[in-house]
Amino acid sequence: MDHSAHNKIVSFIWSIADDCLRDVFVRGKYRDVILPMFVLRRIDCLLEDTKAAVLEEVRFQKQEAKMAVLDPEGLKDAAGQVFYNTSKFTLKTLLGNPSQLVANLTHYLDGFSDNVREIIEKFDLANQIRKMAEANALFGVIEKFVSPEINLSPHDTAAPDGKKLPGLSNLGMGYVFEELIRKFNEENNEEAGEHFTPREVIQLMVHLIFEPIKKKLPPVITIYDPACGSGGMLTEAQDFIIDPEGAIKSDAPVHLYGREINPETYAICKSDMMIKGNNPENIRYGSTLATDEFSTLRFDFMLSNPPYGKSWKTDQGQILEKKGSETVIIDGRFEVVLPDANGEKKTVSAAPAVDDGQLLFLMEMVSKMKRLKDSPLGSRIATVHNGSALFTGNAGGGASNIRRYLIENDYLEAIIQLPNNIFYNTGITTYIWVLSNHKAKERQGKVQLLDASQLYEKLRKNLGEKNCAFTQAHIEQIVSAFTRMQDDSSAVGASAKTRSSDPLALASKPTSALRCKTFPNHEFGYWKITVERPLRKSAQYSTDRIATLRFVPALGTEMEWIWQQWGQKVYEKGFLTTQKEAVEHWLEKEQLETSPANKKKLLDTATWTNRRDLMQAAEKLHQHLGEATSDDFNAFSESTKAAVKKLKLDLKPADVKAILDAVSWRDPAAKPVLKSGSEKSGPHSPLCGSPSQTAQGTVRTTFYEPDSELRDTENVPLTYPGGIPAYFQKEVLPHVPDAWVDEEKTVIGYEISFNKYFYQHQPLRPLEDVVAEIRQLETETEGLLEQILQFAR
């Protein structure tokens, strides 16, 4: 490709904005005009040669075939493209009647096929035309785009000075288009979650998915991006395969597919597909998460830079459904089958926290992997994520389940940490994930981590947040380390610095900055165990403790205020209803968020009389049992139940429990509380044993009520020798000998920490060196203060 000619076109078109739009649009809005007009002019050029044939086909269909509705297929055949225009105008001929320019341009745009008109609509070009017309800039913009000084047609032309202007091929057009997009995005990348992916990062991703199998590509290649943006990843992947200057030079037909939710970006991507000769119908508009647009298709290769840190709440209704007290997944793309702690396979949720849906895009791609029975090569994926995808979410939660599913099914090949500030509008750390469902033999059961965070070239001038870049040498080094499964913790390759053709480049990091390590899959997994300790309570009937029964615990503050205001009147039927306004005014004043149901309880006489009856029953128990303090809650509870029976008190089990809760308190010196209704003997896991017995390694014969305030969790690595029992005996019991593990709550989680594997401790300087430096500074500054004071005088 003649990149010098392409760069001249880019510069010329870039100048149109400054020449014609400076006083009409703010600089950040130039792209809203330039990109659609550039696409329109390219389409116009492609249709110039067949304009007469299309008009003849229109005449034939209307006059001879008497067709009420024009046949699109016949018009496409006449145009020789997948699009057409039935208007008599071209952009050049529009300039012949300046007074009717807007009307004629509208007629010209209406003459396009539906696929082009959709692009025009998504670009909101009609609105831009109106603005330019009102500012008398429309004629000048069109005149610039049809200028003989640039050639956007596929044929060679001559400039006004007689110099040859080479024709612009579809591939060259794509290059110019993407370069314009890149320049606009660098200047105006507003949304924090919509990171325009730098070209060198895309190139690295493309190498990572193609290099390992470039000698055995499928005969027909399909590539998919579920968050395709302007289509940069798709076209870069295609160029890598079919470009004569690309790395593979394959003759295999390539079909590109994508989905994009932003209308303007969708229009850019679809335009790019159209003018490059790809099928624009394979680019779909809308939310990837809300609907499965390509449900019947599976793809050979997938690349994406999905939005991260963005909520998927608007898509929640299409993914989750409330069934009773549970929320269930209703979209199979986000369900996974995983074994529980006992090895029993269960379908679980793969829905991460609603404020970050990036891993849902990854699961969308995984769901589109080709089955090995249908395609021996399977599918390969490269996707960019921020750090939260590596570790957020509790074990058993959606994000952790996704990581577990990918790793335990041996899909994850490698993760590459990129340098900070390599993207245009964010300085956060990012990572490329590489996945395959057909790993090479040497990769099976393993995950390779590559730390390329220190492998970069500084730019002389920042491009937004972007202050560094990969050189081609850096890309080759990372790909080489990946394909060879490099495994070390120090240098890789030579230490020489690399050169770059980028005029903004300042200096590069030594190529030795790349570090690589390989781990077995289970290295990243852990059991999350729940460690329980027995509830220990003392109890005593006393007037003060019994008085607390007057109020519902959850409404203690509100009921206490009402009691202070009106006392015994609260027991009069209907009284509190008359005080509704006063109660609500106080709640608002105190900023207490009381639910409507609780407000109703507060004003209900039955609520107060029930609590009074409960308090009076407790007073009878007090008189019967006395005020002796007991550190054995089990015995105290049995005595209370016996007294209830003896006194013939009309109390439900819940009422007895409420009384016992009111007159008891946690006491670390008391005896453990036995679990009510549990068996007292039988064979049980030593992890669930009673305190003394577990410490001695015997089986448990009693069950204790756990204390929720003392409950704790521990993460036990799947690689821990001896598993949970060994960990429990060594790490837990020596510190809390009365603890046990609630095995029913044990869940498995996965997380990946680059800091854990690549952190390098920097030792503090020796104290002697610091003291010597301070003394040297004292010597150098001796007398300086006196000189300053003399100067001040």
Side-chain angles (χ1 to χ4, degrees):
M1 290 189 294
D2 185 358
H3 288 298
S4 61
H6 300 154
N7 290 335
K8 290 179 182 177
I9 294 175
V10 171
S11 297
F12 184 90
I13 294 174
W14 190 255
S15 70
I16 295 175
D18 283 334
D19 291 345
C20 302
L21 304 177
R22 179 172 296 177
D23 298 325
V24 183
F25 295 87
V26 297
R27 190 172 184 84
K29 296 296 182 181
Y30 286 175
R31 63 179 260 166
D32 296 350
V33 173
I34 296 301
L35 290 180
M37 287 301 299
F38 175 67
V39 171
L40 191 62
R41 175 54 179 154
R42 172 62 175 183
I43 293 174
D44 184 67
C45 289
L46 292 175
L47 295 177
E48 278 182 340
D49 292 344
T50 57
K51 188 68 175 178
V54 171
L55 293 178
E56 172 58 26
E57 178 67 18
V58 171
R59 187 202 65 77
F60 171 80
Q61 292 189 24
K62 286 183 175 180
Q63 298 180 10
E64 298 186 25
K66 306 297 183 181
M67 298 175 66
V69 179
L70 296 177
D71 175 26
E73 296 307 316
L75 294 170
K76 289 178 183 178
D77 290 341
Q81 304 286 347
V82 296
F83 49 89
Y84 56 85
N85 186 294
T86 59
S87 163
K88 66 179 181 179
F89 294 108
T90 66
L91 285 180
K92 284 183 180 178
T93 60
L94 285 171
L95 299 178
N97 189 356
S99 63
Q100 295 297 314
L101 180 58
V102 175
N104 291 341
L105 179 56
T106 301
H107 177 71
Y108 170 70
L109 295 178
D110 289 341
F112 275 111
S113 53
D114 289 343
N115 49 11
V116 176
R117 278 191 291 175
E118 183 193 20
I119 291 172
I120 292 170
E121 178 186 342
K122 291 296 190 293
F123 268 129
D124 195 22
L125 184 57
N127 188 39
Q128 310 307 332
I129 289 172
R130 179 185 58 78
K131 290 181 181 179
M132 287 188 287
E134 291 174 352
N136 296 318
L138 181 59
F139 186 93
V141 170
I142 296 177
E143 186 179 41
K144 285 283 188 179
F145 271 103
V146 300
S147 168
E149 295 181 21
I150 61 167
N151 180 19
L152 299 183
S153 77
H155 311 298
D156 294 347
T157 62
D161 59 4
K163 290 184 179 180
K164 175 185 174 182
L165 294 177
L168 191 62
S169 67
N170 283 340
L171 193 60
M173 176 64 187
Y175 175 86
V176 173
F177 193 49
E178 289 170 20
E179 187 65 13
L180 284 171
I181 294 170
R182 183 186 69 80
K183 289 173 73 69
F184 279 121
N185 280 338
E186 286 174 2
E187 287 213 350
N188 185 36
N189 203 4
E190 298 175 354
E191 292 295 326
E194 297 173 359
H195 307 304
F196 170 63
T197 313
R199 179 63 60 88
E200 75 272 17
V201 173
I202 300 176
Q203 289 175 345
L204 173 58
M205 295 170 68
V206 168
H207 277 79
L208 290 170
I209 63 170
F210 284 115
E211 286 287 354
I213 60 169
K214 65 181 181 181
K215 294 182 180 179
K216 47 182 179 180
L217 291 174
V220 177
I221 300 172
T222 55
I223 306 173
Y224 173 53
D225 184 347
C228 62
S230 56
M233 289 192 178
L234 293 173
T235 54
E236 189 70 31
Q238 183 180 39
D239 293 349
F240 189 82
I241 298 170
I242 67 173
D243 185 354
E245 299 178 16
I248 296 180
K249 307 179 185 66
S250 171
D251 294 328
V254 178
H255 301 280
L256 306 180
Y257 297 80
R259 192 92 188 269
E260 176 54 39
I261 194 171
N262 180 280
E264 183 197 61
T265 313
Y266 163 76
I268 293 172
C269 182
K270 193 161 185 175
S271 303
D272 192 25
M273 296 297 116
M274 186 177 292
I275 59 186
K276 280 187 173 181
N278 293 304
N279 185 357
E281 303 308 315
N282 290 343
I283 305 301
R284 308 289 175 84
Y285 176 69
S287 169
T288 298
L289 303 184
T291 57
D292 192 355
E293 188 71 19
F294 300 105
S295 59
T296 61
L297 299 179
R298 293 176 181 265
F299 305 99
D300 298 298
F301 302 96
M302 288 168 269
L303 306 93
S304 191
N305 178 12
Y308 28 86
K310 277 199 164 185
S311 170
W312 52 280
K313 191 170 185 178
T314 54
D315 300 318
Q316 210 171 3
Q318 285 74 40
I319 297 173
L320 304 176
E321 184 177 87
K322 196 80 172 177
K323 288 189 176 181
S325 60
E326 292 186 359
T327 300
V328 298
I329 295 282
I330 57 176
D331 191 325
R333 294 176 294 170
F334 312 119
E335 275 187 339
V336 295
V337 177
L338 293 171
D340 60 18
N342 297 319
E344 183 181 347
K345 290 190 175 182
K346 293 183 178 179
T347 300
V348 299
S349 167
V354 75
D355 60 355
D356 189 359
Q358 59 181 303
L359 285 176
L360 292 177
F361 285 87
L362 179 54
M363 290 306 296
E364 152 72 4
M365 289 187 281
V366 170
S367 74
K368 299 292 185 292
M369 280 182 157
K370 286 193 171 182
R371 299 182 182 93
L372 295 180
K373 65 179 182 179
D374 301 323
S375 176
L377 292 176
S379 301
R380 295 184 61 76
I381 295 172
T383 176
V384 182
H385 296 281
N386 67 359
S388 68
L390 296 172
F391 53 79
T392 55
N394 290 323
S400 180
N401 283 342
I402 290 174
R403 290 189 293 269
R404 182 186 175 193
Y405 176 78
L406 298 177
I407 294 174
E408 290 190 352
N409 282 278
D410 209 17
Y411 291 155
L412 185 59
E413 284 195 347
I415 299 179
I416 299 94
Q417 181 176 347
L418 304 179
N420 292 351
N421 298 102
I422 199 168
F423 279 78
Y424 294 101
N425 69 332
T426 178
I428 63 176
T429 306
T430 50
Y431 303 81
I432 296 175
W433 293 44
V434 182
L435 293 87
S436 170
N437 61 347
H438 186 238
K439 281 187 177 182
K441 187 175 182 180
E442 63 273 14
R443 286 191 178 275
Q444 292 175 8
K446 301 175 184 176
V447 175
Q448 184 185 18
L449 302 183
L450 297 91
D451 178 11
S453 61
Q454 301 303 312
L455 188 71
Y456 56 81
E457 180 176 73
K458 295 291 289 184
L459 301 182
R460 292 186 183 277
K461 178 184 177 182
N462 286 11
L463 301 173
E465 294 287 334
K466 182 178 176 66
N467 64 9
C468 64
F470 284 138
T471 65
Q472 189 59 38
H474 291 144
I475 293 174
E476 291 172 359
Q477 184 186 348
I478 295 171
V479 174
S480 175
F482 168 72
T483 54
R484 292 184 292 108
M485 281 197 72
Q486 184 92 28
D487 185 4
D488 56 53
S489 57
S490 56
V492 175
S495 61
K497 292 186 178 181
T498 57
R499 292 180 176 271
S500 172
S501 58
D502 189 338
L504 295 176
L506 182 62
S508 64
K509 284 280 184 178
T511 56
S512 60
L514 179 65
R515 295 181 293 164
C516 315
K517 291 186 178 182
T518 302
F519 301 95
N521 287 345
H522 56 269
E523 167 68 27
F524 308 106
Y526 62 92
W527 291 286
K528 181 181 180 181
I529 62 173
T530 301
V531 179
E532 301 281 16
R533 295 177 64 188
L535 178 65
R536 297 173 183 272
K537 295 175 74 174
S538 291
Q540 178 196 29
Y541 281 102
S542 66
T543 302
D544 290 343
R545 295 185 184 281
I546 291 173
T548 62
L549 286 167
R550 189 185 305 278
F551 312 127
V552 176
L555 297 172
T557 302
E558 295 92 329
M559 293 184 76
E560 186 175 358
W561 179 81
I562 292 174
W563 177 255
Q564 290 173 351
Q565 298 301 309
W566 297 293
Q568 295 290 336
K569 289 184 178 181
V570 299
Y571 301 123
E572 297 176 8
K573 189 174 182 179
F575 171 79
L576 287 175
T577 304
T578 64
Q579 305 301 321
K580 180 179 179 181
E581 186 175 342
V583 172
E584 289 184 341
H585 176 73
W586 179 80
L587 291 174
E588 183 177 352
K589 178 184 175 183
E590 297 296 317
Q591 297 182 345
L592 294 175
E593 296 182 3
T594 307
S595 68
N598 281 338
K599 286 182 182 178
K600 187 177 180 180
K601 284 183 181 180
L602 283 175
L603 302 175
D604 188 353
T605 305
T607 301
W608 290 86
T609 56
N610 289 340
R611 297 304 295 190
R612 179 192 62 188
D613 294 345
L614 193 64
M615 186 174 66
Q616 291 173 350
E619 289 171 346
K620 292 178 181 179
L621 291 170
H622 181 194
Q623 293 173 2
H624 182 75
L625 295 172
E627 291 195 358
T629 301
S630 172
D631 66 354
D632 186 347
F633 183 78
N634 308 298
F636 187 89
S637 177
E638 292 298 326
S639 298
T640 295
K641 292 175 183 177
V644 168
K645 189 174 182 180
K646 184 174 182 179
L647 297 175
K648 297 181 180 181
L649 299 177
D650 185 19
L651 295 176
K652 299 175 182 177
D655 296 332
V656 175
K657 183 180 184 303
I659 293 173
L660 289 171
D661 287 343
V663 299
S664 62
W665 63 93
R666 283 180 170 82
D667 182 357
K671 293 181 180 180
V673 177
L674 293 173
K675 194 173 184 67
S676 60
S678 65
E679 297 180 5
K680 299 299 187 293
S681 63
H684 302 285
S685 165
L687 296 183
C688 299
S690 63
S692 61
Q693 292 168 325
T694 298
Q696 298 166 6
T698 60
V699 296
R700 181 178 182 186
T701 57
T702 54
F703 289 90
Y704 295 137
E705 193 72 40
D707 188 338
S708 59
E709 292 187 3
L710 297 179
R711 181 175 295 140
D712 199 2
T713 59
E714 297 274 345
N715 290 346
V716 182
L718 296 183
T719 56
Y720 195 90
I724 297 175
Y727 179 91
F728 183 72
Q729 291 286 341
K730 183 178 180 180
E731 306 291 343
V732 178
L733 287 181
H735 308 288
V736 280
D738 61 350
W740 72 91
V741 172
D742 187 341
E743 291 178 314
E744 292 183 357
K745 294 180 181 177
T746 298
V747 290
I748 295 176
Y750 275 76
E751 64 180 20
I752 302 168
S753 171
F754 268 69
N755 285 339
K756 175 181 176 181
Y757 301 115
F758 292 106
Y759 174 74
Q760 290 183 324
H761 173 66
Q762 298 294 330
L764 296 175
R765 296 168 58 195
L767 181 59
E768 295 79 4
D769 292 351
V770 176
V771 171
E773 185 174 328
I774 293 174
R775 288 176 176 169
Q776 177 65 28
L777 289 172
E778 287 178 345
T779 302
E780 292 175 0
T781 58
E782 188 175 352
L784 183 60
L785 181 59
E786 182 62 30
Q787 294 178 27
I788 294 172
L789 292 174
Q790 288 180 357
F791 180 77
R793 295 192 191 103

